[in-house]
Amino acid sequence: MNADTTAAHKPLYDPERDSTYVPSLDIVLACARDELAQYANANIYDAREILGAAVSHHLRLRQLVAALDAEAPRG
Protein backbone atom coordinates (compact mmCIF):
# COMPACT_ATOMS: atom_id res chain seq x y z
CA MET A 1 0.00 0.00 0.00
CA ASN A 2 1.42 3.38 -1.02
CA ALA A 3 0.81 6.53 0.97
CA ASP A 4 -0.53 9.55 -0.92
CA THR A 5 2.00 12.33 -0.29
CA THR A 6 0.54 14.92 -2.68
CA ALA A 7 -1.09 16.81 0.20
CA ALA A 8 2.24 16.95 2.01
CA HIS A 9 4.12 18.34 -0.98
CA LYS A 10 5.94 21.59 -0.32
CA PRO A 11 8.21 22.90 -3.09
CA LEU A 12 11.83 23.63 -2.29
CA TYR A 13 11.40 27.10 -3.77
CA ASP A 14 8.22 29.16 -3.68
CA PRO A 15 8.53 32.75 -4.95
CA GLU A 16 5.53 33.85 -2.86
CA ARG A 17 7.04 32.44 0.32
CA ASP A 18 10.74 32.99 -0.18
CA SER A 19 12.49 36.32 0.28
CA THR A 20 13.14 38.63 -2.63
CA TYR A 21 16.25 40.04 -0.92
CA VAL A 22 19.36 39.50 -3.04
CA PRO A 23 22.71 39.87 -1.26
CA SER A 24 25.66 41.28 -3.18
CA LEU A 25 27.71 38.91 -5.29
CA ASP A 26 30.71 39.26 -2.94
CA ILE A 27 28.60 38.15 0.03
CA VAL A 28 27.05 35.20 -1.82
CA LEU A 29 30.45 34.03 -3.09
CA ALA A 30 31.92 34.15 0.41
CA CYS A 31 28.94 32.21 1.76
CA ALA A 32 29.20 29.66 -1.06
CA ARG A 33 32.88 29.10 -0.31
CA ASP A 34 32.12 28.64 3.39
CA GLU A 35 29.33 26.22 2.57
CA LEU A 36 31.52 24.15 0.25
CA ALA A 37 34.09 23.86 3.02
CA GLN A 38 31.39 22.99 5.55
CA TYR A 39 30.11 20.04 3.50
CA ALA A 40 33.46 18.91 2.04
CA ASN A 41 33.67 15.99 4.44
CA ALA A 42 30.00 14.99 4.31
CA ASN A 43 29.47 11.25 4.54
CA ILE A 44 27.97 10.16 1.23
CA TYR A 45 26.46 7.13 2.99
CA ASP A 46 24.56 9.28 5.48
CA ALA A 47 21.29 10.11 3.70
CA ARG A 48 20.34 12.84 6.16
CA GLU A 49 23.71 14.56 5.83
CA ILE A 50 23.72 14.38 2.03
CA LEU A 51 20.12 15.61 1.81
CA GLY A 52 21.01 18.56 4.05
CA ALA A 53 24.01 19.39 1.87
CA ALA A 54 21.97 19.10 -1.33
CA VAL A 55 19.21 21.40 -0.09
CA SER A 56 21.72 23.90 1.25
CA HIS A 57 23.64 23.91 -2.05
CA HIS A 58 20.40 24.29 -4.02
CA LEU A 59 19.38 27.34 -2.02
CA ARG A 60 22.88 28.84 -2.26
CA LEU A 61 22.90 28.28 -6.03
CA ARG A 62 19.61 30.18 -6.29
CA GLN A 63 21.19 33.08 -4.37
CA LEU A 64 24.24 33.00 -6.60
CA VAL A 65 22.17 33.14 -9.79
CA ALA A 66 20.03 35.96 -8.35
CA ALA A 67 23.14 37.93 -7.37
CA LEU A 68 24.66 37.45 -10.83
CA ASP A 69 21.41 38.55 -12.48
CA ALA A 70 21.19 41.61 -10.21
CA GLU A 71 24.77 42.62 -10.96
CA ALA A 72 24.58 42.17 -14.73
CA PRO A 73 20.95 42.14 -15.90
CA ARG A 74 20.38 39.99 -18.93
CA GLY A 75 17.65 40.95 -21.35
Side-chain angles (χ1 to χ4, degrees), residues 19-62:
S19 174
T20 57
Y21 168 71
V22 178
S24 71
L25 184 55
D26 290 341
I27 291 171
V28 177
L29 278 174
C31 291
R33 287 185 177 106
D34 290 345
E35 186 173 299
L36 287 171
Q38 176 185 350
Y39 290 107
N41 293 318
N43 180 357
I44 197 163
Y45 299 109
D46 183 335
R48 185 181 208 96
E49 194 172 359
I50 292 302
L51 180 60
V55 170
S56 186
H57 290 335
H58 175 85
L59 297 173
R60 187 68 64 204
L61 181 59
R62 283 194 168 280

